[in-house]
Amino acid sequence: MIDKLKVGKELFASGKTEEAKPFFTDLLKEDSHNYEILNYLGVANFTLGDYNSAEDFFLQALAVKDDYKEAFINLVKLYHATERWEKTDIEIESFSAAMTFFVELEKKYPENPLFPYIIGFLMYERGKHGQAKDAFNNALKLKTDFYKAMYYLGLTNIALNLTFRNKR
């Protein structure tokens, strides 16, 4: 008997995402609550540019296992890639939980500039510009050509200058 999961993973790993997808879909029919398969289908759809389906699969995976970090990270990557940051807050129970999660990831993966960038963006969106500035600077220390971090650092500096001027 064929190991559909193994074949699907091997095809996906070799860049044959379109060919891998039916294996994951068949597995999902056998177990519709398998959060790992839901996540694989999310990643496959994300890779193929079907962002709405990818989002649905990531959210389904999180509905089955709400602490499944791989699906959560993939969902954040999707929102980052599609610049739909407003969705990040909708899908996370609370700002505090999101910050705790990303701070943990930042500690676990200190060389990854994405996590301080996300922390910076969440702080920026909340109007916590001083903390956002620190986070964006941390991201840029890790990756000096991180253009989105540069962009938001610039916006943060503008916001800080406007705040300072309005307080005078």
Side-chain angles (χ1 to χ4, degrees):
M1 188 161 135
I2 187 170
D3 183 347
K4 294 176 188 174
L5 182 58
K6 182 179 177 185
V7 172
K9 285 180 176 181
E10 287 173 357
L11 287 167
F12 189 78
S14 66
K16 298 177 181 176
T17 307
E18 193 70 55
E19 293 174 41
K21 201 171 154 185
F23 288 94
F24 297 134
T25 302
D26 286 349
L27 286 166
L28 192 61
K29 289 176 187 172
E30 296 170 16
D31 182 3
S32 63
H33 297 293
N34 186 317
Y35 57 90
E36 292 177 293
I37 299 303
L38 289 163
N39 185 57
Y40 277 115
L41 281 165
V43 172
N45 281 290
F46 183 31
T47 303
L48 295 170
D50 185 352
Y51 302 129
N52 290 330
S53 293
E55 179 181 27
D56 289 342
F57 283 116
F58 295 142
L59 291 173
Q60 287 178 54
L62 289 168
V64 173
K65 185 171 174 26
D66 64 359
D67 64 344
Y68 186 44
K69 291 184 179 178
E70 287 80 4
F72 187 79
I73 291 168
N74 288 329
L75 185 63
V76 170
K77 286 180 181 177
L78 171 74
Y79 293 151
H80 175 72
T82 58
E83 297 185 359
R84 296 186 309 163
W85 285 105
E86 74 283 355
K87 297 286 283 180
T88 306
D89 293 336
I90 293 168
E91 308 307 338
I92 299 170
E93 270 187 34
S94 70
F95 175 71
S96 177
M99 287 305 298
T100 300
F101 179 75
F102 285 115
V103 168
E104 286 176 23
L105 286 175
E106 185 180 31
K107 288 177 185 173
K108 187 174 181 179
Y109 304 103
E111 72 288 345
N112 189 331
L114 183 60
F115 301 121
Y117 169 74
I118 292 170
I119 290 168
F121 187 84
L122 291 172
M123 290 296 188
Y124 175 81
E125 287 293 302
R126 293 292 182 294
K128 298 176 186 261
H129 298 118
Q131 293 168 311
K133 181 178 179 176
D134 292 342
F136 291 132
N137 279 324
N138 288 339
L140 288 167
K141 285 177 189 172
L142 296 169
K143 184 178 180 196
T144 57
D145 63 344
F146 195 165
Y147 296 111
K148 285 196 176 212
M150 287 180 204
Y151 173 78
Y152 280 103
L153 179 59
L155 291 179
T156 300
N157 285 328
I158 290 168
L160 284 168
N161 283 333
L162 292 176
T163 303
F164 177 74
R165 287 182 186 170
N166 288 336
K167 287 184 178 181
R168 289 202 268 172

